[in-house]
Structure formats: structure tokens, C-alpha cells
Amino acid sequence: MDHRLVSAVLILLLGLGQALSSTEQPSVEEDHEKLDITSVILEANKGISHMMMEGDVVIAKTRNAMKCWADYCKWEKSSSGLVEVPYTISDYFYDYEKAKIKRAMRRFNEKTCIRFVPRTGQTNYISIESKTGCWSNLGRTGGKQKLSLSVYGCVHYGVIQHELLHALGFLHEHTRSDRDQYVRINWDYIPSGTAYNFKKKNTNNLNTPYDYGSIMHYGRTAFSTEYGKDTITPIPDSSVEIGQRQEMSDIDIQRINELYECDV
């Protein structure tokens, strides 16, 4: 065969491969620009038949790690001062999706004493699977605990970090015990069947300020019965942006380090 023809075919195939790669593998930056975390999670979870606390938290039999007797719900710290959280990732995910999950984990490894590590036989671990919706258990529940990142909408950098924070024991920001000083919940626009998602919790706020910029904060119109109407309004300045979509805030990171007593 003519070598020039072979070269032309190879160049064509290479070009097609690069084109497919660029369309199948959205960047973190694209996630940041296009994603409204609350909307994505709530939309993905519409098909779930069992009740979720606050929209994406499996109702816990234990308390959250911020209010947990004898720290049972926290992941254990080793003698090295690091908190290893073993995980597995289902082979249902494509390689680029697995890479995105690991990239979101890397931020924890860089800024806290949390170390998400591949499971090597540990009893307690997170099994990351593509079930219906985006959700997690709250804190360490013992044994195999599932964290769902449906490939149909949940494999985004910010959503992954959001669900991993639930797995570490953190609730949503808008339900913390002192929230009424910082936001107004507009009950008139919240369906009675979803009102439980806005109930305050008995949280340990770890001496950190209320964080409008937390990746754990609901967006303004979460669960709203009327398009464009706020279910959550910041006070006293209603123009403050809430429900950011990019990645863990500095205060999110601070709270991890406070809860897990990280020396960083």
C-alpha cells in the first residue's frame, strides 16, 4: 500500500480521536461555568423513590460527624495525623469520569489531612457507584457505604466535592443551627412535601462563620414552586450570591481541618 495513503489514514484517525476526546471529556473549567450544583442534584434525584434528607443525603441511622458521640461517625485518623478514607470506583464509569472523580478528591488531599485512598481490603470504605441521582451517606456509617454519582448528570467537579463532603459528615449550609441570622427561608414558595429539606439541624458550627460561598449551600430557588422566586434569601443584603458552583470554599476547607483536627 502507498505509504502516503497509510499516513493520510492515520492522520484522519488521529484527528477523529482527538475530536471525540474533546467532546467526551469536558474540562473542570467548563463545569465551573455551566453548572448550578443544586439544580443538577435535585433534577438528578427526581427519580429516587426513597426519601432523602435535604435532597441528597441518605437518612442516617447515626448522627452526622459534626455531632457524633465518641467520634464514631468520623473517619479515623492514623498515627501519622492523616485521615485515610478508602474508596472504590465502579467500572461502570469511563476512564475520563474516573479521572474527574480523582481530580475532585485531589483538592482534599492538597488542603486538608483527608486522604482519599484506593481501598486495599479495609472494612470501612466508600463505594462510588452510578445509581439513580447524586447522593451520599452522612459521615462514616461503617462497612461499605455507597456514594452515587449518576453518569447522567452527576459527574461534575463541584457535585463530586459536594457529595464527598456529605460522606465526611457535613450537612448543607442553609440548615445549620444559626442560619436564621443570615438567611430567610420563604416558606410560601416551598411545597409542603419538601419543607423538611429546610429544617434547621443541631449542628456544631466549629466556630466558623456562616458561608454564603460554601459549596454546601443551596441555591436561591431550590424546590421553589414559582419560577424565579427565592426559597432562600440572604439577609440583610439580598443581593449576596449563594450556592456557588465551582469548588470547596476556603471556609469549607477550614471546617474539614477543624472537624478532623488537621495540623496543616
Side-chain angles (χ1 to χ4, degrees), residues 46-192:
K46 282 183 177 179
I48 296 176
S49 58
H50 54 281
M51 182 178 289
M52 290 281 180
M53 180 174 68
E54 298 184 17
D56 66 335
V57 180
V58 176
I59 295 178
K61 296 178 182 178
T62 56
R63 301 174 72 183
N64 69 78
M66 296 172 69
K67 282 277 190 176
C68 183
W69 180 79
D71 289 340
Y72 172 78
C73 308
K74 289 169 59 177
W75 294 87
E76 296 176 349
K77 180 181 285 188
S78 69
S79 58
S80 68
L82 299 177
V83 178
E84 291 194 350
V85 182
Y87 70 88
T88 60
I89 301 178
S90 169
D91 285 334
Y92 189 81
F93 294 101
Y94 287 121
D95 286 344
Y96 80 88
E97 292 168 326
K98 291 180 180 179
K100 185 175 288 189
I101 293 168
K102 293 175 183 178
R103 187 161 60 235
M105 289 176 169
R106 198 173 302 140
R107 184 69 171 168
F108 293 83
N109 295 354
E110 293 170 349
K111 293 293 184 178
T112 75
C113 63
I114 302 296
R115 295 293 183 272
F116 289 101
V117 297
R119 182 186 181 228
T120 56
Q122 294 93 331
T123 300
N124 301 319
Y125 68 101
I126 297 171
S127 176
I128 301 174
E129 304 176 13
S130 177
K131 301 296 184 182
T132 301
C134 329
W135 48 264
S136 173
N137 289 102
L138 187 60
R140 180 173 65 89
T141 60
K144 174 184 177 180
Q145 63 183 71
K146 294 180 181 180
L147 185 156
S148 176
L149 295 170
S150 171
V151 296
Y152 303 107
C154 299
V155 189
H156 297 281
Y157 187 82
V159 172
I160 296 163
Q161 288 191 345
H162 181 103
E163 299 304 337
L164 288 172
L165 278 164
H166 282 318
L168 291 176
F170 292 90
L171 288 164
H172 292 125
E173 188 73 355
H174 75 283
T175 62
R176 60 183 266 172
S177 57
D178 62 349
R179 65 101 186 274
D180 290 337
Q181 301 175 47
Y182 306 97
V183 296
R184 181 177 67 253
I185 305 301
N186 302 310
W187 300 102
D188 288 346
Y189 301 124
I190 299 171
S192 59

Side-chain angles (χ1 to χ4, degrees), residues 1-33:
M1 182 182 291
D2 190 325
H3 290 298
R4 288 174 295 179
L5 178 59
V6 172
S7 297
V9 171
L10 290 174
I11 290 171
L12 176 61
L13 290 173
L14 178 60
L16 287 172
Q18 290 173 336
L20 287 172
S21 175
S22 64
T23 57
E24 291 179 358
Q25 301 183 35
S27 68
V28 172
E29 288 73 19
E30 288 173 334
D31 280 355
H32 288 184
E33 291 300 319

Side-chain angles (χ1 to χ4, degrees), residues 185-203:
I185 305 301
N186 302 310
W187 300 102
D188 288 346
Y189 301 124
I190 299 171
S192 59
T194 62
Y196 63 89
N197 294 297
F198 296 84
K199 298 295 186 182
K200 286 189 295 186
K201 302 297 188 297
N202 180 24
T203 54

Side-chain angles (χ1 to χ4, degrees), residues 42 54-55 189-191 194 197-198 218 221-226 231:
L42 298 182
E54 298 184 17
Y189 301 124
I190 299 171
T194 62
N197 294 297
F198 296 84
Y218 266 18
T221 60
F223 291 99
S224 183
T225 56
E226 293 190 33
T231 52

Side-chain angles (χ1 to χ4, degrees), residues 99 122 148 167 212 253 262:
Q122 294 93 331
S148 176
Y212 295 110
I253 292 169
C262 300

